[in-house]
Amino acid sequence: MKKYFNALNTSVLILFTISLFSLSSCGWKPSEEDIKKLEETKSAALSAEKTLADKKKEVKDLEAKIAAKKKDLEKLKSDKDKVMQSVETAK
Amino acid sequence: MRSIKTLITISVFFFLTSALYAQSYNYEEMTQEQYNAYLAEWQGRLDAGNSGISEQDATIDELNKELQSMDAEYGQTWNDIFAATGTSQEEYNSYQDAISQLKKDVAAFLAMSPDQIYQNAAELDKLQARLTELQNNHFGVMSENEADLNEIASMIEQARGKGKSAVPPSYTVQRGDYLWKIAKMPDIYGDAYAWMRIYTSNKEQIKDPNLIYPNQSFLIPREVGPNQHLVVRGEYLYKIAGYSNVYGNAFQWQKLFENNKEVITDPNIIFPYQVLNIAR
């Protein structure tokens, strides 16, 4: 009887342990590969957003440079007309 | 009884270790739906970022092309100027250096005392000759150079006025004198057009500028104060307001007009030798 009780006790113990492990792992968990994929995507997205901000700043800087150059060019063309007129008068 | 104790110990150990494991990784509590949502969000942001980068790269390419084209046009315009004047970039640089040097020399001359200026009047004539030579150069009509040359002309005129303060500040009218003649005398203003300065400074004695009498003693103002500007030929309020020693901003010409309404009736008409007050 005692031998039977011990065997039953051991079986219950094993079953309980197995059920605990099963219960704790029954939900979905991301694998290492999933975690790596999410982290890499996040990192790449943040990097792309930073690059995009830098590019937008570069565009603004270029636009300002072009506006200044345009003004300089108009002034120089006006000066060129004056110089040409001065040269013609001197002839 | 011992088995039950063992069972409880194992259970407690299992729960403790699983709890610790969950705290070390945020992913432990993440459901598949949450994971998919996060992944989709980051993927969306990555796609939007990459798409935006492509658009901005295209814009940058276009702007760079536009800038290159303007640079080329700018260079070509300079080449046209050099070809028309038969000069080069080096000669233009030398010309600008000459303007800078003349400006420094005139400023140094202007800083001298009235006596020193009066004694070195010949030096002032040399400075004037250098200015005239630079004004006669074709580059002299270019806006930036023209502004500098006008400023130098104004400084030379101020130096002349300052130097004349070393000679007596009054003149006694002789028979046969008239304002035009007095103003033209070398020790007075050396310029007939300066008659207006004598007239405006002696209005109490001169009722009619065409009628002056022997033995009248006229005040001959020589110096222009630090907050005054002596008008020279070719100047107008807009230009004067733009001088660095006036307001440094041409758009403030109206302020100049408002503060000199006693001598300026029409802001479009000012005369050489008028003295304008510069309100600060």
Side-chain angles (χ1 to χ4, degrees):
Chain A
M1 186 65 185
K2 193 180 177 186
K3 192 181 173 185
Y4 178 73
F5 182 77
N6 278 342
L8 182 68
N9 197 9
T10 307
S11 304
V12 167
L13 189 66
I14 290 167
L15 278 172
F16 184 73
T17 308
I18 290 169
S19 68
L20 273 175
F21 274 99
S22 325
L23 273 173
S24 65
S25 60
C26 66
W28 177 87
K29 267 196 281 185
S31 65
E32 285 297 319
E33 201 177 321
D34 291 334
I35 292 170
K36 195 180 168 193
K37 187 180 178 186
L38 181 57
E39 289 296 332
E40 281 178 357
T41 309
K42 179 184 174 184
S43 172
L46 290 173
S47 170
E49 284 172 353
K50 190 186 174 303
T51 308
L52 180 59
D54 290 345
K55 297 267 179 196
K56 281 182 177 172
K57 190 181 174 299
E58 195 179 338
V59 166
K60 274 193 175 178
D61 289 347
L62 271 171
E63 283 171 345
K65 221 172 175 178
I66 286 172
K69 195 78 189 176
K70 197 173 180 182
K71 207 174 167 186
D72 284 349
L73 186 58
E74 280 168 10
K75 191 177 157 196
L76 186 64
K77 281 181 175 175
S78 160
D79 280 344
K80 179 187 152 186
D81 292 342
K82 288 182 193 171
V83 170
M84 294 295 191
Q85 204 175 340
S86 168
V87 171
E88 283 301 314
T89 310
K91 275 181 185 173
Chain B
M1 191 65 188
R2 212 174 75 183
S3 303
I4 293 169
K5 273 185 182 174
T6 311
L7 188 67
I8 290 168
T9 308
I10 290 170
S11 303
V12 168
F13 175 77
F14 176 78
F15 279 115
L16 277 174
T17 51
S18 66
L20 281 172
Y21 186 72
Q23 277 176 355
S24 303
Y25 298 95
N26 292 331
Y27 290 100
E28 276 300 312
E29 290 173 7
M30 192 184 280
T31 64
Q32 190 163 14
E33 288 75 26
Q34 282 174 327
Y35 174 87
N36 289 338
Y38 286 138
L39 187 62
E41 182 196 340
W42 287 114
Q43 190 60 54
R45 285 172 70 168
L46 177 61
D47 292 343
N50 284 334
S51 161
I53 288 169
S54 301
E55 282 173 24
Q56 295 299 317
D57 276 340
T59 309
I60 288 169
D61 280 348
E62 277 175 31
L63 292 175
N64 273 325
K65 278 178 193 165
E66 192 179 346
L67 192 61
Q68 279 172 3
S69 156
M70 288 174 93
D71 276 337
E73 198 177 351
Y74 193 80
Q76 187 54 50
T77 308
W78 267 117
N79 288 339
D80 291 346
I81 292 172
F82 294 141
T85 52
T87 56
S88 63
Q89 180 70 55
E90 288 71 31
E91 285 172 78
Y92 182 70
N93 292 343
S94 302
Y95 178 79
Q96 285 208 309
D97 289 345
I99 291 181
S100 300
Q101 190 55 52
L102 179 60
K103 202 171 183 178
K104 280 181 195 166
D105 294 346
V106 173
F109 199 86
L110 189 56
M112 293 197 301
S113 70
D115 281 342
Q116 285 173 314
I117 291 178
Y118 188 66
Q119 284 160 16
N120 293 288
E123 187 62 34
L124 199 55
D125 289 340
K126 284 181 191 169
L127 291 172
Q128 178 64 57
R130 278 166 65 188
L131 174 67
T132 308
E133 193 185 340
L134 291 170
Q135 282 173 325
N136 288 338
N137 190 301
H138 293 309
F139 291 136
V141 294
M142 296 177 79
S143 50
E144 193 183 342
N145 300 331
E146 193 179 29
D148 280 340
L149 294 172
N150 283 336
E151 196 170 347
I152 293 170
S154 173
M155 287 161 77
I156 288 178
E157 209 54 50
Q158 284 175 47
R160 284 195 197 285
K162 192 176 174 182
K164 280 169 186 169
S165 67
V167 294
S170 63
Y171 176 81
T172 304
V173 180
Q174 309 295 314
R175 185 170 290 280
D177 279 348
Y178 43 95
L179 290 183
W180 184 275
K181 182 181 170 187
I182 297 169
K184 202 178 175 182
M185 291 175 180
D187 274 358
I188 304 296
Y189 292 124
D191 185 346
Y193 289 97
W195 70 269
M196 182 176 256
R197 198 169 176 195
I198 303 175
Y199 171 56
T200 51
S201 305
N202 295 278
K203 268 193 168 175
E204 316 80 50
Q205 291 189 68
I206 310 171
K207 304 296 173 202
D208 179 349
N210 296 310
L211 285 175
I212 56 172
Y213 303 98
N215 296 323
Q216 274 187 313
S217 181
F218 292 154
L219 192 68
I220 309 294
R222 308 287 186 176
E223 285 188 80
V224 176
N227 288 323
Q228 289 183 320
H229 177 83
L230 181 68
V231 178
V232 296
R233 272 188 208 92
E235 284 185 335
Y236 39 92
L237 293 182
Y238 185 81
K239 184 192 270 187
I240 296 168
Y243 291 157
S244 56
N245 61 345
V246 180
Y247 293 131
N249 179 0
F251 291 104
Q252 292 210 33
W253 67 268
Q254 202 149 8
K255 189 177 172 185
L256 205 54
F257 172 54
E258 290 295 330
N259 287 296
N260 291 280
K261 276 193 167 172
E262 283 179 9
V263 287
I264 307 171
T265 46
D266 180 348
N268 296 311
I269 303 171
I270 56 172
F271 300 97
Y273 293 101
Q274 272 186 322
V275 176
L276 304 181
N277 291 314
I278 305 158
R280 301 289 178 186

